[in-house]
Amino acid sequence: EPVPERASPNPNSKKKTKPPRAPNKVPPVPNQIVIADPPDKLLNQLGRFGLRKIDGEFLRTLDVNVLVLVVEPGRTAKKVILELRKAFPGIVVDLHHAYDLSRGASTKKLLFPAKMIGWGRVPRTCGQGVKVGMIDTGVDKSHPALIGRVIIQRHFLGKKKKPSDTEHGTAVAAILVGKPLPDGTSGLLPGATLYAANIFERAGKKGKRGTMYGILKGIDWLATVRVHVVNMSIAGPPNSIFSYVLKKGIKKGLVMVAAAGNGGPRAKPAWPAAHPLVASITAIDQRMSVYRFANRGSYIDFAAPGVNVPTPSRRGRAFKTGTSFASPYVAAMTALLVAQGRQRDMGVLRRRLKQYVVDLGKPGRDPIFGWGMVRARPPC
């Protein structure tokens, strides 16, 4: 189990942030809706609502039947959803939302994260026996930081869709399980097994999107292999299908940690981090000041390094910024707790993690830093 470390909070952590940039919103998949556990009567009436099935799967571990439907021309997805909810009260249906990566811009090159959280250097075997899951882009297993690591990867993309680039997922994977390198950098748990679910497909010439359907299949797979934690460095709008399946996954023992989002102080809560049974992680810099574009709100649980975090890239070394890169730090700590016997219950795990925090901002929990920065060293 991680061991608490002490640190002094930065007195300047309350400084005002600059006005945030506009959040990078990914529109829903056009003219598509998703239904979970559709009523039997509906399956014979799809034409009545102007719907046509284009994909679907029974998620065995979560015990959920998911349908992806296209709305025929002449109707709108939102109108059809209203019609379905009226005809079938209690139906779980929503837009086929797309999700973005919780990354931001970076300017400075500072090697501080592991020292800042008290983790320090670890041997290659640290994390043996721990199973870490992630939902992200694909991972480049041939990158020098990941060669020799145990990474099991599956792709959950739409039919005939091509995967997006792997830079974001590779960076997150390296933070989690990257091997120690000559420059002193290392993943948090290089001896762990990483289960990487790629949900991001190409959208347009340079864009990427992770669809709701891909997320649901990824969650089912990670529940099947019983990972100790799922890191989700993604963000998007609330979705009733997502909420429904998250609850199913949590009942099956999934423990989830997610990036708080980079929409800025006035942004709406980002999902899945805003779900009450998911740990929400914000990003801070080496001075323990909050990342200026990080989301705020009562749903923020903890803070971790997420500004100018050193990660691998196609060009060797890059420095990434965003709540995407803060989430893995708390995910690694949570995975150790679960692997060593702590209950698979986020309420229990939050209380344990709170014992390791350095309080930042106002005393106690606040909407900027949550309970504060988690600082601990691993028992390896």
Side-chain angles (χ1 to χ4, degrees), residues 36 62 64 92-94 97 99 212 215-216 219 237-251 256 271-272 274-278:
L62 300 179
V64 179
V92 184
V93 58
D94 215 322
H97 278 128
Y99 289 74
M212 175 55 56
I215 293 172
L216 303 185
I219 290 174
N239 181 286
S240 58
I241 302 289
F242 205 167
S243 180
Y244 183 79
V245 172
L246 278 179
K247 289 178 182 177
K248 291 268 189 175
I250 289 164
K251 285 184 179 179
M256 304 185 192
W271 274 64
H275 191 286
L277 298 178
V278 175

Side-chain angles (χ1 to χ4, degrees), residues 193-216:
T193 298
L194 179 66
Y195 292 83
N198 173 24
I199 65 158
F200 279 88
E201 58 194 36
R202 293 185 193 175
K205 292 184 178 180
K206 297 182 179 180
K208 59 173 68 71
R209 70 183 177 197
T211 67
M212 175 55 56
Y213 188 45
I215 293 172
L216 303 185

